Amino acid sequence: MTLAVLLLASSLLAPRSYVQVSRDAPSILELCRQARRQLDQRKYADARKTATKALQMDSRSAEALSLLGESEFASGDLIPAERHLTEALTIDPALAEARRALGAAFLRQRRFNSAEAQFEAVLQTRPDDLLGLYGLGLSLIAQNKPSQALKPLVAAYHLNPSDSGVLTALVQAYLKLGKQSQARSTLAELNHCIENDYPQQMQLAQVLVHEGAYELAINQFQQLLKATPDSYELNYDLALAYHRAGREDQAAHQIRAVLAKRNEAELENLLGEVEESRNNYTQALPAYKKAVELQPSSAEYQLDYAIELALHSDPAAALQAFISGVKSFPSSVDLRLGLGGCYYLVGKYGEASETLLRASRMAPENPKVYALLGLAYDAAGPLQPDITQRFESYVKAHPGDALAHYFYGKILLDRTKGEAHINFAPPRQELNKAIALNPSLPQARLELGKLLRMRGDLPAAKAQFEAAAKLDPESSDAYYQLMAVYRKLGEQQKADQALQKFRELKGKPRNSANRKQVMTLLEGTR
C-alpha cells in the first residue's frame, strides 16, 4: 500500500462531515452529536463509547452504527468497523460518512475494487464530495490505473488546491504516467503547503522513492537535511536514493560520512551494494562482512556476504559461510538455495542435489529452486528420480515457466537412453512448450535439436542448432552439433567452419555454461 493511502485515515474523519440524525429520538440525537464532536476532535476511544451507548438505546440506529464503525476504523480495528459500517448502510444506504469510512477500511485491507465501489457510490449522490473524489483517486492509483485516477483527483484539487493528500496523490499519478513536468509543478505546490510539516515531508520523500522518482527524492531529502543535518534516517535515505538513482560515487561518499560517526549494519550492507555496483569487489566484501559482524541475527546480511564470496572471491569460503547461514537460519530458502549452488560451484554435486531437493520441499512454488535443481540433475546420481518427480509436479502447477519445461524435457530425453523403442513425444512436447513460452531460450533449442537428430530429422535439427548458436554464440556444444549435422547433410564447408568455431570456443579458458548459470542465479537471490 502506498503511503498516500495511509494519509486517508485522518482526512476521512476530518471535521468536514456531519451526521444525519433527523429521524432519531432526542436522546439518541444528542449522543450521536456528541460522538461526532469526539470524532472531529480525534477522541476516538470516547467516540466509540458514546456511539455504543446510543446503540444500547436503539440497535437499529444507522447513524450510531456508522459512528461506531468510523471510530473503530480510526482506532485501527478494521474487522468490526467493516461489520458496523456495512450494517449501517444496509439500514440507510444514503449515509455518505459510512461509505467513506468503509471505502477507507477497504483501502487499508488492500481491497481496492471494493473501495472504489464505495467511493463511486458516494459520488453518485454527492459528485463534488472532496473526500469521495480523493478516495476514488487513491483506489484507482492502488490498482495502477493512474489515467483513470486523474479525473477525480483533478476535481478534488479544484475543490481544495491546498489539500496535501490530494496533491500527493496527483504527484503519484503524474509520475506513473511519465508526466514529469506536471509532477514537478505539483510537487512544488505540495512542498509549499507542507513546508513546516516535517512528518508529511518525510512521507512525501518516501512516496517519491516508492514511485522510482529517485532524483526528485534526492532533492527532497537534501532539503530536509538542511533543517536536521544530523538525522541518521535522512542521511541513510539520501544515500539509498543516490544508489537507486545510479549515483554510486555520491552514495559511497554519503555512506562513509555517516559511518565515520556511527557503525550501522544496514549502512555497511548498503556500502557493499554500492561498491559492487562500482565493481570495487575488494571493498564490497569487507563491507558485507562488517554488516554480518554488526548484526549476526540478519539472514539477509549473511546471504549477501556469502554470495559476494561465491561470485567475486572464494567459493570454498563462501561454502562455509552458507553452511553457517543455514545452520543459523534453517528456514531461509534463499540461504539453502545459495548453499546448493555453492556446492555445485565447488564440485560437490551430490550435496548440491540433496540441498536443492530439500529447498524444493520447503518452497515448492519457487522457480529459482527448479532453475538450480535442473542444472544439478546430470550429476545427481541416485537422486535423479526424486528430481524428476519434483519437476513433474512443478510443471503441472506452473505451465508458464519456460525454463522448467526445458529442464523437464531434457530430463525426459535423458531417461530414454538405452531404451530399444524410444517415445520422443513427452520430451518433445516439453521442449516445444519451453520454446513457445520463450523463443530466445538457446538451451531449449539445442536440446530439441538433439532430439530431432536422434529421430533422424536432420533438416529440422539443423534449424534448431543454428538458432541456438545465434542466440548463444559462445556455445561450443551448438557448434559441435552443427558440425555433425552439416557433415551428414553433405554441407562440408559449413561443417569445417562449425568445427573451427568449436575448437576456438573449446580452447578458451571459459567456465562451463552451467557454472555461469549457477552464478547468475546466485546473484539473483539477493
Side-chain angles (χ1 to χ4, degrees), residues 121-173:
V122 171
L123 294 171
Q124 285 177 4
T125 57
R126 299 185 180 187
D128 292 331
D129 187 278
L130 174 63
L131 297 176
L133 291 165
Y134 173 49
L136 177 58
L138 287 179
S139 304
L140 292 168
I141 285 177
Q143 296 175 74
N144 199 28
K145 299 176 180 178
S147 58
Q148 296 179 40
L150 273 183
K151 183 178 178 181
L153 290 174
V154 169
Y157 170 78
H158 288 309
L159 289 171
N160 186 356
S162 62
D163 188 295
S164 60
V166 172
L167 288 168
T168 300
L170 272 173
V171 169
Q172 285 184 278

Coordinates of all heavy atoms in Angstrom, one line a residue, residues 121-173:
A121 N -20.1 5.2 -5.1 CA -21.4 5.3 -4.5 C -21.6 6.7 -3.8 O -22.7 7.3 -3.9 CB -21.7 4.2 -3.5
V122 N -20.6 7.1 -3.1 CA -20.7 8.5 -2.5 C -20.9 9.5 -3.6 O -21.7 10.4 -3.5 CB -19.4 8.8 -1.7 CG1 -19.3 10.2 -1.2 CG2 -19.3 7.8 -0.5
L123 N -20.1 9.4 -4.7 CA -20.1 10.5 -5.7 C -21.4 10.4 -6.5 O -21.7 11.4 -7.2 CB -18.9 10.3 -6.6 CG -17.5 10.5 -5.9 CD1 -16.4 10.1 -6.8 CD2 -17.4 12.0 -5.5
Q124 N -22.1 9.3 -6.5 CA -23.4 9.3 -7.3 C -24.4 10.3 -6.7 O -25.2 10.9 -7.4 CB -23.9 7.9 -7.2 CG -23.2 6.9 -8.2 CD -23.7 5.5 -8.1 OE1 -24.7 5.2 -7.3 NE2 -23.1 4.6 -8.8
T125 N -24.4 10.4 -5.4 CA -25.3 11.4 -4.7 C -24.6 12.7 -4.4 O -25.3 13.7 -4.2 CB -25.9 10.8 -3.5 OG1 -24.8 10.4 -2.6 CG2 -26.7 9.5 -3.8
R126 N -23.3 12.7 -4.3 CA -22.5 13.9 -4.0 C -21.3 14.0 -4.9 O -20.2 13.8 -4.6 CB -22.0 13.9 -2.5 CG -23.1 13.8 -1.5 CD -22.5 13.9 -0.1 NE -23.6 13.8 0.9 CZ -23.3 14.0 2.2 NH1 -22.1 14.2 2.7 NH2 -24.3 13.9 3.1
P127 N -21.6 14.5 -6.1 CA -20.5 14.5 -7.1 C -19.3 15.4 -6.8 O -18.2 15.2 -7.3 CB -21.2 14.9 -8.4 CG -22.5 15.6 -8.0 CD -22.9 14.9 -6.7
D128 N -19.6 16.4 -5.9 CA -18.5 17.3 -5.5 C -17.9 17.0 -4.1 O -17.4 17.8 -3.5 CB -19.0 18.7 -5.5 CG -19.3 19.2 -7.0 OD1 -18.6 18.7 -7.9 OD2 -20.2 20.0 -7.2
D129 N -18.1 15.8 -3.7 CA -17.6 15.4 -2.4 C -16.1 15.2 -2.4 O -15.5 14.3 -3.1 CB -18.2 14.1 -1.9 CG -17.9 13.7 -0.5 OD1 -16.8 13.1 -0.3 OD2 -18.7 14.0 0.4
L130 N -15.4 16.1 -1.7 CA -13.9 16.1 -1.8 C -13.3 14.8 -1.4 O -12.4 14.2 -2.1 CB -13.4 17.2 -0.9 CG -11.8 17.3 -0.8 CD1 -11.2 17.6 -2.1 CD2 -11.4 18.4 0.2
L131 N -13.8 14.3 -0.3 CA -13.2 13.0 0.3 C -13.6 11.8 -0.6 O -12.8 10.9 -0.8 CB -13.6 12.8 1.7 CG -13.2 13.9 2.7 CD1 -13.7 13.6 4.1 CD2 -11.7 13.9 2.7
G132 N -14.7 11.8 -1.2 CA -15.1 10.8 -2.1 C -14.2 10.8 -3.4 O -13.8 9.8 -3.9
L133 N -14.0 12.0 -3.9 CA -13.1 12.1 -5.1 C -11.7 11.7 -4.7 O -11.0 11.0 -5.5 CB -13.1 13.6 -5.6 CG -14.4 14.1 -6.2 CD1 -14.4 15.6 -6.3 CD2 -14.6 13.5 -7.6
Y134 N -11.2 12.1 -3.6 CA -9.8 11.7 -3.2 C -9.7 10.2 -3.0 O -8.8 9.6 -3.4 CB -9.5 12.5 -1.9 CG -8.2 12.1 -1.2 CD1 -7.0 12.0 -1.9 CD2 -8.2 11.8 0.2 CE1 -5.9 11.7 -1.2 CE2 -7.0 11.5 0.8 CZ -5.9 11.5 0.1 OH -4.7 11.1 0.8
G135 N -10.7 9.6 -2.3 CA -10.7 8.2 -2.0 C -10.7 7.4 -3.3 O -10.0 6.4 -3.5
L136 N -11.6 7.9 -4.3 CA -11.7 7.2 -5.6 C -10.3 7.2 -6.3 O -9.9 6.2 -6.9 CB -12.8 7.8 -6.4 CG -12.9 7.2 -7.8 CD1 -13.2 5.7 -7.8 CD2 -14.0 8.0 -8.6
G137 N -9.7 8.4 -6.2 CA -8.4 8.6 -6.9 C -7.4 7.6 -6.3 O -6.6 7.0 -7.0
L138 N -7.3 7.5 -5.0 CA -6.4 6.6 -4.3 C -6.7 5.1 -4.7 O -5.8 4.4 -4.9 CB -6.5 6.8 -2.8 CG -5.9 8.0 -2.2 CD1 -6.1 8.0 -0.7 CD2 -4.4 8.2 -2.5
S139 N -8.0 4.8 -4.7 CA -8.3 3.4 -5.1 C -7.8 3.1 -6.5 O -7.3 1.9 -6.7 CB -9.8 3.2 -5.1 OG -10.4 3.6 -3.8
L140 N -7.9 4.0 -7.4 CA -7.5 3.7 -8.8 C -6.0 3.7 -8.9 O -5.4 2.9 -9.7 CB -8.1 4.8 -9.7 CG -9.6 4.7 -9.9 CD1 -10.2 6.0 -10.5 CD2 -10.0 3.5 -10.7
I141 N -5.3 4.6 -8.2 CA -3.8 4.6 -8.2 C -3.3 3.2 -7.6 O -2.4 2.6 -8.2 CB -3.3 5.7 -7.4 CG1 -3.4 7.0 -8.1 CG2 -1.8 5.5 -7.0 CD1 -2.9 8.2 -7.4
A142 N -4.0 2.8 -6.6 CA -3.6 1.5 -6.0 C -3.8 0.3 -6.9 O -3.1 -0.7 -6.8 CB -4.4 1.2 -4.7
Q143 N -4.7 0.5 -7.9 CA -4.9 -0.6 -8.9 C -4.1 -0.3 -10.2 O -4.3 -1.0 -11.2 CB -6.4 -0.6 -9.2 CG -7.3 -1.1 -8.1 CD -8.8 -1.0 -8.5 OE1 -9.3 -1.8 -9.2 NE2 -9.4 0.0 -8.0
N144 N -3.1 0.6 -10.0 CA -2.3 1.0 -11.2 C -3.1 1.5 -12.3 O -2.9 1.1 -13.5 CB -1.4 -0.1 -11.6 CG -0.2 0.4 -12.4 OD1 0.3 1.5 -12.2 ND2 0.4 -0.5 -13.2
K145 N -4.1 2.4 -12.1 CA -4.9 3.0 -13.1 C -4.8 4.5 -13.0 O -5.7 5.2 -12.7 CB -6.4 2.6 -12.9 CG -6.6 1.1 -13.1 CD -8.1 0.8 -12.8 CE -8.4 -0.7 -12.9 NZ -9.8 -1.1 -12.6
P146 N -3.5 5.0 -13.2 CA -3.3 6.5 -13.0 C -4.1 7.3 -13.9 O -4.5 8.4 -13.5 CB -1.8 6.6 -13.2 CG -1.4 5.5 -14.1 CD -2.3 4.3 -13.6
S147 N -4.3 6.9 -15.2 CA -5.0 7.8 -16.1 C -6.5 7.9 -15.7 O -7.1 9.0 -15.8 CB -5.0 7.2 -17.5 OG -5.5 5.9 -17.5
Q148 N -7.1 6.9 -15.1 CA -8.4 7.0 -14.6 C -8.5 7.8 -13.3 O -9.5 8.4 -13.0 CB -9.0 5.6 -14.4 CG -9.2 4.8 -15.7 CD -9.8 3.4 -15.4 OE1 -10.6 3.2 -14.5 NE2 -9.2 2.4 -16.1
A149 N -7.4 7.7 -12.5 CA -7.4 8.4 -11.2 C -7.3 9.9 -11.4 O -7.7 10.7 -10.5 CB -6.2 7.9 -10.4
L150 N -6.7 10.4 -12.5 CA -6.5 11.8 -12.7 C -7.8 12.6 -12.6 O -7.9 13.7 -12.0 CB -5.8 12.1 -14.0 CG -4.3 12.0 -14.1 CD1 -3.8 12.4 -15.4 CD2 -3.7 13.0 -13.0
K151 N -8.9 12.1 -13.2 CA -10.1 12.9 -13.3 C -10.7 13.2 -11.9 O -10.9 14.4 -11.6 CB -11.2 12.2 -14.1 CG -12.5 12.9 -14.3 CD -13.5 12.2 -15.1 CE -14.8 13.0 -15.2 NZ -15.8 12.2 -16.1
P152 N -10.9 12.2 -11.0 CA -11.4 12.6 -9.7 C -10.3 13.4 -8.9 O -10.7 14.2 -8.1 CB -11.6 11.2 -9.0 CG -10.8 10.2 -9.8 CD -10.8 10.7 -11.2
L153 N -9.1 13.1 -9.1 CA -8.0 13.8 -8.3 C -8.0 15.3 -8.7 O -7.8 16.2 -7.9 CB -6.7 13.2 -8.4 CG -6.5 11.8 -7.7 CD1 -5.2 11.2 -8.0 CD2 -6.7 12.0 -6.2
V154 N -8.1 15.6 -10.0 CA -8.1 16.9 -10.5 C -9.3 17.7 -10.0 O -9.2 18.8 -9.6 CB -8.0 17.0 -12.0 CG1 -8.2 18.4 -12.6 CG2 -6.6 16.5 -12.5
A155 N -10.4 17.0 -10.0 CA -11.7 17.6 -9.5 C -11.5 17.9 -8.0 O -11.9 19.0 -7.5 CB -12.9 16.6 -9.7
A156 N -10.9 17.0 -7.2 CA -10.7 17.2 -5.8 C -9.7 18.4 -5.6 O -9.9 19.3 -4.7 CB -10.1 16.0 -5.2
Y157 N -8.7 18.5 -6.5 CA -7.8 19.6 -6.4 C -8.5 21.0 -6.6 O -8.2 22.0 -5.9 CB -6.7 19.4 -7.5 CG -5.8 20.6 -7.7 CD1 -4.7 20.9 -6.8 CD2 -5.9 21.5 -8.8 CE1 -3.9 22.0 -6.9 CE2 -5.1 22.6 -8.9 CZ -4.1 22.8 -8.0 OH -3.3 23.9 -8.2
H158 N -9.4 21.0 -7.6 CA -10.1 22.3 -7.8 C -11.0 22.7 -6.6 O -11.2 23.8 -6.4 CB -10.9 22.2 -9.1 CG -10.1 22.2 -10.4 ND1 -9.1 23.1 -10.6 CD2 -10.1 21.3 -11.4 CE1 -8.6 22.9 -11.8 NE2 -9.1 21.8 -12.3
L159 N -11.5 21.6 -5.9 CA -12.3 21.9 -4.7 C -11.4 22.5 -3.6 O -11.9 23.3 -2.8 CB -13.0 20.7 -4.3 CG -14.2 20.2 -5.2 CD1 -14.6 18.8 -4.7 CD2 -15.3 21.2 -5.1
N160 N -10.2 22.0 -3.5 CA -9.3 22.4 -2.4 C -7.8 22.3 -2.9 O -7.2 21.2 -2.7 CB -9.5 21.6 -1.2 CG -8.7 22.1 0.0 OD1 -7.9 23.1 -0.2 ND2 -8.8 21.6 1.2
P161 N -7.3 23.3 -3.5 CA -5.9 23.3 -4.1 C -4.8 23.1 -3.1 O -3.7 22.8 -3.5 CB -5.8 24.6 -4.9 CG -7.2 25.1 -5.0 CD -8.0 24.6 -3.8
S162 N -5.1 23.3 -1.8 CA -4.1 23.2 -0.8 C -4.2 21.9 0.0 O -3.5 21.7 1.0 CB -4.2 24.4 0.2 OG -5.4 24.4 0.8
D163 N -5.0 20.9 -0.4 CA -5.1 19.6 0.3 C -3.9 18.8 0.0 O -3.6 18.4 -1.1 CB -6.4 18.9 -0.2 CG -6.7 17.7 0.7 OD1 -5.8 16.7 0.7 OD2 -7.7 17.7 1.4
S164 N -3.1 18.5 1.0 CA -1.8 17.8 0.8 C -2.0 16.4 0.4 O -1.2 15.9 -0.4 CB -1.0 17.9 2.1 OG -1.7 17.2 3.2
G165 N -3.0 15.7 0.8 CA -3.3 14.4 0.4 C -3.6 14.3 -1.1 O -3.1 13.4 -1.8
V166 N -4.5 15.2 -1.5 CA -4.8 15.3 -3.0 C -3.6 15.6 -3.8 O -3.3 14.9 -4.8 CB -5.9 16.3 -3.2 CG1 -6.2 16.5 -4.7 CG2 -7.2 15.9 -2.5
L167 N -2.8 16.5 -3.4 CA -1.6 16.9 -4.1 C -0.6 15.7 -4.2 O 0.0 15.4 -5.2 CB -0.9 18.1 -3.5 CG -1.6 19.4 -3.7 CD1 -1.0 20.5 -2.8 CD2 -1.6 19.9 -5.1
T168 N -0.5 15.0 -3.1 CA 0.4 13.8 -3.1 C 0.0 12.8 -4.0 O 0.7 12.2 -4.8 CB 0.5 13.2 -1.6 OG1 1.0 14.2 -0.7 CG2 1.4 12.0 -1.6
A169 N -1.3 12.5 -4.0 CA -1.9 11.5 -5.0 C -1.7 12.0 -6.4 O -1.5 11.1 -7.3 CB -3.4 11.3 -4.7
L170 N -1.9 13.3 -6.7 CA -1.7 13.8 -8.0 C -0.2 13.6 -8.5 O 0.1 13.2 -9.6 CB -2.0 15.3 -8.1 CG -3.5 15.6 -8.4 CD1 -3.7 17.1 -8.2 CD2 -3.9 15.2 -9.8
V171 N 0.7 13.8 -7.6 CA 2.1 13.6 -7.9 C 2.4 12.2 -8.3 O 3.0 11.9 -9.3 CB 3.1 14.0 -6.7 CG1 4.5 13.5 -6.9 CG2 3.0 15.5 -6.5
Q172 N 1.8 11.3 -7.5 CA 1.9 9.8 -7.8 C 1.3 9.5 -9.2 O 2.0 8.8 -10.0 CB 1.2 9.0 -6.8 CG 1.9 8.9 -5.4 CD 1.2 7.9 -4.5 OE1 0.2 8.3 -3.9 NE2 1.6 6.7 -4.5
A173 N 0.2 10.0 -9.5 CA -0.5 9.7 -10.8 C 0.4 10.2 -11.9 O 0.6 9.5 -12.9 CB -1.9 10.3 -10.8

